[in-house]
Amino acid sequence: MKIRCVLTDSDEYNQFNGFEDSAYTLKISRQFKYWYFDLCDLIDFYADTDIDVILDVEDKDLIAARNLYGSHKFNERSLRKYETGVMVHSTTKENVQGILTDNKLKSWNLLRREKSHWEDKPIGALLGDIEDFSNYVMLSIVTQNNEIVTASKANGKIDVNINQSYIAGARFYLDAKKLAADGLLLRDGAHIKVRDRIDLDKYLIWYSTPDILGMCERTSPKEFLELSNKKFDEIMKL
């Protein structure tokens, strides 16, 4: 397996990832204030793995990145100044009860090993994701609309329209500071993630479902994100 990393000067994104030129490709823009974190995290995360990282980066930029990165690590036990104390994992309606019964969020590969009738492929297969990604529970910041991925999975096709119709599942709001302090929070340059599983007893702050929010389960990624975040903000202010 291989990952190609390209350093750009685009003002259209901080980073962009997907399957391109026969390889999973991560593009990082120097216009992003913290570009050097993503670049060095990527290199260090995969340094001791069987995944090849192909760098389309000039030597002078690598040197600059290392100088800015300093003593940071991809698995450091504190949050960085641009990282949020709460992160989210979203899932489809079909998976909610299993998560609550297990009281854990689990990676796709772990579920595949545990459940004989699990899915044939993760949604990431449609995006060109490498197989290794399925070893992790992927997280996002609260404002990032990862409901688009859940909606795409529910509808069986990739669709980035935030107003598309889908059956909402659940959003799990997790204590990122505690995950980092316990050495579980990992950064691979493109994602923030946790290997294998997350114990909800220890790290869950709150979760939303259409029932909890008192809304129709058929909704849009935009509506479910906004109503969930609004309710979460209200709870945190109590």
Side-chain angles (χ1 to χ4, degrees):
M1 290 184 287
K2 61 183 179 180
I3 293 176
R4 178 170 171 257
C5 179
V6 183
L7 193 60
T8 76
D9 288 305
S10 176
D11 57 6
E12 296 180 355
Y13 55 79
N14 290 338
Q15 65 166 238
F16 172 83
N17 56 81
F19 197 75
E20 187 175 286
D21 297 330
S22 301
Y24 180 84
T25 301
L26 172 63
K27 295 181 179 180
I28 301 170
S29 175
R30 271 180 292 245
Q31 301 301 314
F32 173 43
K33 183 177 180 181
Y34 301 110
W35 64 272
Y36 53 90
F37 276 113
D38 287 347
L39 179 58
C40 293
D41 284 342
L42 173 78
I43 295 170
D44 293 351
F45 181 87
Y46 291 109
D48 296 319
T49 71
D50 60 358
I51 297 171
D52 294 326
V53 176
I54 302 168
L55 295 176
D56 189 354
V57 181
E58 294 184 13
D59 288 345
K60 65 180 179 63
D61 289 321
L62 280 173
I63 293 171
R66 282 299 179 190
N67 287 335
L68 291 166
Y69 193 70
S71 61
H72 286 282
K73 297 179 180 180
F74 67 87
N75 59 349
E76 57 193 313
R77 290 176 176 258
S78 60
L79 295 177
R80 298 165 180 172
K81 55 187 175 182
Y82 64 89
E83 293 176 335
T84 59
V86 177
M87 293 184 186
V88 174
H89 178 79
S90 291
T91 192
T92 58
K93 178 184 178 181
E94 290 74 20
N95 293 339
V96 176
Q97 190 53 55
I99 290 170
L100 296 178
T101 299
D102 291 343
N103 208 25
K104 291 177 175 61
L105 292 170
K106 297 179 179 180
S107 71
W108 192 91
N109 278 346
L110 180 56
L111 288 166
R112 180 71 168 171
R113 292 195 296 270
E114 292 181 349
K115 301 178 185 295
S116 59
H117 300 294
W118 190 237
E119 306 162 347
D120 291 332
K121 293 182 180 180
I123 185 63
L126 297 178
L127 299 169
D129 287 354
I130 62 173
E131 293 178 7
D132 185 65
F133 291 171
S134 294
N135 289 316
Y136 301 88
V137 180
M138 299 294 190
L139 305 178
S140 71
I141 61 174
V142 172
T143 55
Q144 180 180 334
N145 203 329
N146 53 340
E147 291 307 311
I148 290 174
V149 177
T150 304
S152 294
K153 183 174 181 178
N155 292 333
K157 62 180 181 179
I158 301 300
D159 187 346
V160 298
N161 179 11
I162 61 173
N163 294 307
Q164 66 180 288
S165 175
Y166 82 124
I167 301 296
R171 286 172 59 80
F172 292 87
Y173 293 73
L174 304 160
D175 190 330
K177 185 176 181 180
K178 189 177 291 186
L179 284 166
D182 289 344
L184 299 178
L185 206 66
L186 304 174
R187 308 158 180 90
D188 69 5
H191 313 96
I192 296 180
K193 56 193 184 182
V194 173
R195 178 83 186 197
D196 289 333
R197 62 178 65 80
I198 297 175
D199 189 336
L200 296 184
D201 268 347
K202 191 168 186 180
Y203 303 106
L204 178 65
I205 301 173
W206 180 75
Y207 72 94
S208 67
T209 65
D211 282 346
I212 289 173
L213 297 173
M215 63 182 294
C216 179
E217 65 178 16
R218 178 158 292 281
T219 180
S220 69
K222 181 177 187 294
E223 182 178 37
F224 189 51
L225 169 82
E226 291 178 349
L227 290 178
S228 295
N229 285 354
K230 180 181 178 182
K231 184 64 175 179
F232 179 71
D233 287 342
E234 291 172 354
I235 290 171
M236 294 301 289
K237 290 175 182 177
L238 294 177

